[in-house]
Amino acid sequence: MPAESPESIRSDAREYSLDELLEYHRRHAWQPFTQMKLAPDPLFIERGKGSLLYTTDGRSLIDAIGSWWVNVHGHSNPYINQAIAEQMERVEHVIYAGLSHEPATVLAKRLSASTGDRLPRAFYSDNGSTAVEIGLKMAFQYYANAGATERREFVALGDGYHGDTIGTMSVGARSVFHEMYSPLLFPCHLLPAPRAPFEVFGDDDRALEHLAPVLESLEKLLQERGDKICGLILEPIVQGASAGFNMYPPVLLKRVRELCDAHGVFWISDEVFTGCGRTGKFYASEYADVWPDIVCISKALAGGYLPFAATLATEKVYAGFYSDERRHTLFHGHSMTANPLGCAAALASLDLIEADQKQGFAGVLKIEAAHRAHLKQLLDSPIGKQIRETRCLGSIAAVELDLPANYTADFGWRLMSAAIERGALLRPLGNVVYLTPAYTIQPAELDRAYQVLQACLQELL
């Protein structure tokens, strides 16, 4: 094909009016987690810079939720922009089977280093659900390869959320997100949810009193069926979507590690949300100073630029597939596995994360300190009487309201609309309003986000 200008190739090379875009949206769009009949017309975002999003109608919004928790370095970050642009000029994609490329190889080495080389093997995919699905397959097939075909059961924490594929829904809470698909899901042993007052987060003795139902159930289950179980999966420290950002004490992970070791069960850690510095540690499990057998990461890994994920595994897990028998291969993959552009984005994102990590995650912990101050102000305000609890860790803050935890109620949409009118993007989960801003958010922007939150709560509650 001869070289042509983009304008000569496009069949409709012109600017679209906002009215045209809205009409196309109404006729053709189908958005996630959205009842399209009830949803108002969306705002169209024209561009983003830092923590700000700019709409086609001339407004600016503070992105207080990191665009569904993925944007951690600010929109249109020049460092990541340059890394992707440079990679585009070399190769945009190549099959990652029988062939490889420098970005994928270097990224695998650096991801191994992020675990202190405890989990040296990286298997790439494109999103958090898939990263977890792969982790489940690794645990299951490891034992099948070894001839222990009776080990095919999984254990998970109550109120967990691990994604929306069949496998990840099976090991998640049967919440409103997944109850429709119950007939398709495989059985999973669900433990009680790990609930404890946030005030006991660092007090192991008091924490264990609250966590006793979880640990007693797990110990009993492993004693009875440990030889049938291949994997235990959990979100470490912070349970996201289904649990409304429940934050549980790290001591639970210490006991999980001990019990999994005692019964030969692989611990799969879903760090899709918590990984890559979000909690003030590179991995949330570091708060307990223990390491899982399999780690799943995505979201912040590529800075919110491209669909990209990785499942990291110990050498023991990898060795269960390293065989002269081709049937022992991990039969999983997709066309865009280890996409060079995604790898380039992830490498640049790691550069920025590691720069803060060298300073003890000072940037993220500065946001945590600001969260604490703002949350105290909320509690001390008239609206404080309607707040059940506030929680924060690293760049994450959560305000649990004294309302039913109804994910299909109108409250979330009403608050989101009210916040947008005031210049901030907030999207509650049930009765929990959360903030997960970019690590680069400016103090004045975070101040404004909390002002908007308080004003919205005063209006709606």
Side-chain angles (χ1 to χ4, degrees):
M1 178 182 293
E4 298 182 69
S5 68
E7 290 75 16
S8 66
I9 296 172
R10 276 183 55 184
S11 61
D12 191 11
R14 63 182 179 83
E15 295 294 326
Y16 298 100
S17 70
L18 180 56
D19 286 343
E20 286 176 311
L21 292 174
L22 286 170
E23 181 62 19
Y24 296 162
H25 172 83
R26 293 168 191 147
R27 288 178 177 272
H28 306 295
W30 194 346
Q31 295 185 302
F33 295 104
T34 302
Q35 176 46 261
M36 299 298 287
K37 184 175 183 180
L38 302 177
D41 286 333
L43 281 179
F44 277 78
I45 302 302
E46 187 173 69
R47 61 189 176 90
K49 189 64 180 176
S51 290
L52 297 178
L53 296 167
Y54 296 89
T55 68
T56 53
D57 61 4
R59 288 185 277 174
S60 65
L61 300 175
I62 298 167
D63 186 353
I65 60 170
S67 290
W68 251 342
W69 321 343
V70 300
N71 185 283
V72 294
H73 305 300
H75 296 281
S76 193
N77 183 283
Y79 187 75
I80 304 178
N81 289 352
Q82 181 179 353
I84 295 172
E86 290 177 355
Q87 183 58 48
M88 281 183 185
E89 295 298 321
R90 290 192 287 270
V91 61
E92 80 300 333
H93 188 62
V94 65
I95 181 174
Y96 190 62
L99 302 177
S100 188
H101 50 84
E102 181 179 314
T105 305
V106 174
L107 179 59
K109 178 182 182 298
R110 290 184 59 182
L111 289 174
S112 174
S114 74
T115 71
D117 295 322
R118 296 174 180 86
L119 288 85
R121 299 291 175 170
F123 195 101
Y124 298 121
S125 58
D126 60 337
N127 66 78
S129 296
T130 307
V132 174
E133 195 91 14
I134 292 164
L136 299 174
K137 282 183 160 183
M138 286 176 175
F140 178 90
Q141 190 177 339
Y142 175 94
Y143 282 110
N145 286 353
T149 54
E150 71 281 0
R151 281 190 179 259
R152 55 177 59 195
E153 299 175 9
F154 288 94
V155 186
L157 288 184
D159 284 351
Y161 179 92
H162 302 288
D164 301 312
T165 55
I166 297 298
T168 58
M169 287 192 293
S170 296
V171 296
R174 300 298 195 265
S175 67
V176 65
F177 298 115
H178 300 153
E179 60 187 2
M180 173 63 68
Y181 308 102
S182 293
L184 302 177
L185 309 184
F186 61 74
C188 175
H189 301 286
L190 286 178
L191 302 171
R195 296 285 178 172
F198 187 63
E199 64 186 32
V200 307
F201 185 84
D203 187 333
D204 286 1
D205 290 337
R206 292 174 64 201
L208 285 170
E209 294 177 12
H210 294 278
L211 298 173
V214 184
L215 292 171
E216 289 170 2
S217 295
L218 176 58
E219 190 164 7
K220 182 174 185 291
L221 175 65
L222 292 178
Q223 286 173 349
E224 294 175 352
R225 301 194 64 80
D227 59 350
K228 303 289 191 300
I229 294 169
C230 61
L232 177 152
I233 184 167
L234 54 75
E235 298 159 279
I237 306 299
V238 185
Q239 293 183 297
S242 289
F245 292 85
N246 174 43
M247 299 179 186
Y248 62 84
V251 66
L252 177 66
L253 300 183
K254 297 179 183 178
R255 291 292 293 131
V256 163
R257 179 72 278 173
E258 292 168 1
L259 290 168
C260 284
D261 285 343
H263 294 274
V265 172
F266 287 124
W267 167 19
I268 306 164
S269 188
D270 178 353
E271 296 252 13
V272 169
F273 169 57
T274 54
C276 300
R278 196 182 302 272
T279 67
K281 304 281 188 183
F282 196 98
Y283 297 105
S285 60
E286 293 181 73
Y287 275 97
D289 197 27
V290 290
W291 290 89
D293 304 288
I294 297 168
V295 171
C296 312
I297 52 174
S298 187
K299 293 193 183 292
L301 176 59
Y305 267 75
L306 291 160
F308 197 80
T311 306
L312 311 182
T314 62
E315 197 67 20
K316 175 182 177 179
V317 173
Y318 176 78
F321 296 79
Y322 194 75
S323 170
D324 292 324
E325 173 56 69
R326 292 193 186 276
R327 290 176 61 85
H328 290 174
T329 299
L330 178 56
F331 288 110
H332 191 103
H334 67 99
S335 303
M336 300 298 287
T337 300
N339 171 252
L341 302 180
C343 290
L347 286 167
S349 178
L350 284 180
D351 286 344
L352 297 172
I353 293 167
E354 289 170 1
D356 195 28
Q357 185 178 23
K358 290 175 182 176
Q359 305 298 319
F361 283 111
V364 172
L365 295 180
K366 185 176 180 179
I367 294 173
E368 179 181 315
H371 278 322
R372 291 185 185 279
H374 285 296
L375 292 174
K376 184 179 185 304
Q377 289 176 359
L378 265 182
L379 287 170
D380 292 341
S381 75
I383 208 69
K385 296 177 182 178
Q386 298 183 69
I387 295 175
R388 192 172 296 163
E389 184 180 67
T390 63
R391 304 180 283 274
C392 71
L393 189 66
S395 66
I396 310 164
V399 179
E400 184 175 344
L401 301 170
D402 195 13
L403 296 172
N406 186 348
Y407 281 60
T408 58
D410 290 338
F411 173 76
W413 285 102
R414 291 169 59 215
L415 190 143
M416 183 176 177
S417 297
I420 286 174
E421 287 299 314
R422 290 172 168 84
L425 178 59
L426 296 169
R427 185 184 172 93
L429 281 166
N431 64 332
V432 175
V433 186
Y434 65 89
L435 291 88
T436 53
Y439 306 162
T440 55
I441 192 168
Q442 297 302 300
E445 294 167 341
L446 190 58
D447 292 349
R448 180 59 187 155
Y450 273 98
Q451 290 168 6
V452 169
L453 171 58
Q454 183 168 342
C456 292
L457 293 178
Q458 288 172 342
E459 175 187 330
L460 298 175
L461 292 180

